[in-house]
């Protein structure tokens, strides 16, 4: 699998490296930056994190099905795998829900007045909204498996 996917893994590692550097920069220099720069740095972190998820998601999907795939198994086979998109969207929803929970935990540790804390928690909890669609994504994923299992 390394021979077939080394460029995809290299791309994923670049995204992961950007994610780590952006996170570290935020922790180390966040207090010295203006609000706009902090938001841009966090947006870069979020984009790099999702790009890393996108690129790495195809590899386990391809490994789960040893049969023939649409496209060439060299590069695009993992992305063209029928289970790739439901898996990616489901994992994105999980990541957003975890981010909402982590934000709510951090907000509760801040020394804020009750109304401000409640407003921030309401705003952060919006990231958990995609959880509503997770059962449908799971059904979509399971519906795709019989078409892909046992090929070859």
């Amino acid at each position: 699998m390394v021979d077939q996917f080394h460029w995809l893994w290299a791309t994923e590692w670049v995204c992961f490296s950007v994610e780590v550097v952006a996170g570290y920069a935020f922790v180390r220099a966040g207090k010295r930056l203006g609000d706009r720069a902090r938001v841009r740095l966090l947006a870069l972190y979020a984009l790099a994190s999702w790009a890393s998820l996108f690129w790495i998601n195809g590899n386990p999907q391809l490994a789960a099905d040893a049969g023939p795939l649409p496209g060439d198994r060299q590069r695009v086979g993992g992305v063209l795998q029928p289970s790739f998109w439901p898996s990616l969207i489901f994992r994105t929803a999980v990541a957003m829900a975890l981010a909402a929970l982590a934000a709510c935990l951090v907000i509760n540790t801040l020394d804020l007045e009750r109304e401000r804390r409640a407003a921030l928690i309401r705003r952060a909890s919006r990231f958990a909204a995609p959880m509503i669609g997770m059962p449908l994504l799971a059904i979509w994923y399971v519906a795709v498996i019989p078409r892909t299992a046992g090929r070859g």
Side-chain angles (χ1 to χ4, degrees):
M1 215 159 101
V2 172
D3 292 340
Q4 295 170 341
F5 285 101
H6 66 276
W7 287 114
L8 290 179
W9 276 337
T11 303
E12 188 274 331
W13 270 96
V14 168
C15 295
F16 179 70
S17 298
V18 170
E19 174 187 352
V20 169
V21 169
Y24 185 74
F26 183 80
V27 169
R28 295 299 292 173
K31 292 180 180 177
R32 294 187 301 249
L33 298 174
D35 289 344
R36 179 174 271 193
R38 277 193 302 233
V39 168
R40 285 182 179 171
L41 195 54
L42 288 176
L44 176 64
Y45 176 81
L47 182 66
S49 298
W50 190 84
S52 178
L53 171 66
F54 177 89
W55 289 112
I56 203 65
N57 187 55
N59 293 338
Q61 295 306 316
L62 183 62
D65 180 19
L69 296 169
D72 66 359
R73 282 181 75 90
Q74 295 282 317
R75 292 191 177 74
V76 296
V79 176
L80 295 178
Q81 177 78 2
S83 60
F84 174 84
W85 292 106
S87 174
L88 178 70
I89 297 168
F90 189 87
R91 290 174 185 203
T92 301
V94 168
M96 291 177 71
L98 290 173
L101 290 172
C104 289
L105 284 173
V106 169
I107 291 167
N108 276 318
T109 64
L110 299 175
D111 185 29
L112 299 171
E113 55 188 60
R114 186 178 182 130
E115 295 81 25
R116 180 68 178 145
R117 184 178 301 153
L120 286 172
I121 287 176
R122 277 193 301 276
R123 189 169 192 165
S125 66
R126 292 179 190 164
F127 281 98
M131 284 178 42
I132 294 169
M134 289 173 74
L136 294 175
L137 290 169
I139 291 168
W140 178 22
Y141 182 77
V142 171
V144 168
I145 290 175
R147 291 185 289 189
T148 62
R151 282 200 238 162

